[in-house]
Amino acid sequence: AANTELRAKALRALYGLKGKIVKDALSHRALNILFDSLIKPILLYGCQVLCPHSKTMRYLSKIDDKANPQHTLKYIAQDHYEKFHLKFIKWSLSVHSKASNIGCWGESGRHPLFFEACKLAIDYYSRLENTENEPLCVDTTASPSHLPQNLSSPPKSVIT
């Protein structure tokens, strides 16, 4: 649910960007800077919490050294972060949407966005471990068993 809403907002931002700029007048580097500063924050919002529980992360945690790298990259290309990212890369390179994903990553010099989402998640959890004695961090990392079952309305103690 959250991923689809964020993807829709990022798609709206991408179409807005496409409508406002002349792609041929900008360098490929400038297009990447615009994507990284305007669209990527929308797309990766909350990835620190969502990424460790994603289907792609479960797949990557099960592979071993003997796994085929091309099959792994094809699986990563199906991730919702990366589908969007590849759409932008192929547009910025002016190639067909069915062009090789690996070739587009190589030609653009960009790595899969899923790797950055994983890095942000790792940094977030390491920061939480370093601040484990602060009361707010303890509340956010506690097990959800103490939370009310119906989260659609605030607890009555907050309303007073």
Side-chain angles (χ1 to χ4, degrees), residues 24-35:
D24 297 332
L26 295 173
S27 68
H28 183 67
R29 184 173 182 269
L31 289 172
N32 285 335
I33 290 171
L34 285 172
F35 179 84

Side-chain angles (χ1 to χ4, degrees), residues 49-135:
V49 178
L50 298 174
C51 183
H53 306 289
S54 70
K55 186 172 88 171
T56 307
M57 185 59 78
R58 285 192 298 271
Y59 171 79
L60 291 176
S61 66
K62 293 177 185 176
I63 62 172
D64 56 2
D65 294 339
K66 297 175 185 172
N68 184 353
Q70 285 185 336
H71 181 67
T72 304
L73 285 174
K74 284 181 183 178
Y75 197 87
I76 289 173
Q78 296 304 314
D79 184 70
H80 75 278
Y81 294 121
E82 201 49 42
K83 279 184 183 179
F84 191 91
H85 188 223
L86 281 167
K87 185 176 196 162
F88 166 77
I89 290 174
K90 290 176 182 182
W91 170 78
S92 68
L93 293 174
S94 299
V95 297
H96 193 272
S97 62
K98 293 190 178 196
S100 167
N101 295 336
I102 297 170
C104 290
W105 282 320
E107 183 67 28
S108 68
R110 295 180 69 93
H111 52 79
L113 203 56
F114 183 76
F115 295 154
E116 186 161 349
C118 291
K119 182 190 177 306
L120 288 170
I122 291 168
D123 291 346
Y124 175 72
Y125 284 106
S126 66
R127 189 168 49 250
L128 282 179
E129 285 180 357
N130 293 336
T131 59
E132 63 184 22
N133 294 331
E134 293 185 24

Side-chain angles (χ1 to χ4, degrees), residues 1-40:
N3 288 339
T4 55
E5 289 177 21
L6 291 174
R7 189 173 192 281
K9 289 180 182 183
L11 194 59
R12 185 175 176 190
L14 179 63
Y15 287 141
L17 179 68
K18 284 180 178 182
K20 298 285 184 198
I21 64 169
V22 178
K23 181 177 71 165
D24 297 332
L26 295 173
S27 68
H28 183 67
R29 184 173 182 269
L31 289 172
N32 285 335
I33 290 171
L34 285 172
F35 179 84
D36 290 342
S37 59
L38 297 174
I39 298 166
K40 189 167 67 171

Side-chain angles (χ1 to χ4, degrees), residues 148-159:
Q149 295 300 322
N150 184 3
L151 295 176
S152 61
S153 60
K156 295 188 188 297
S157 61
V158 175
I159 297 173

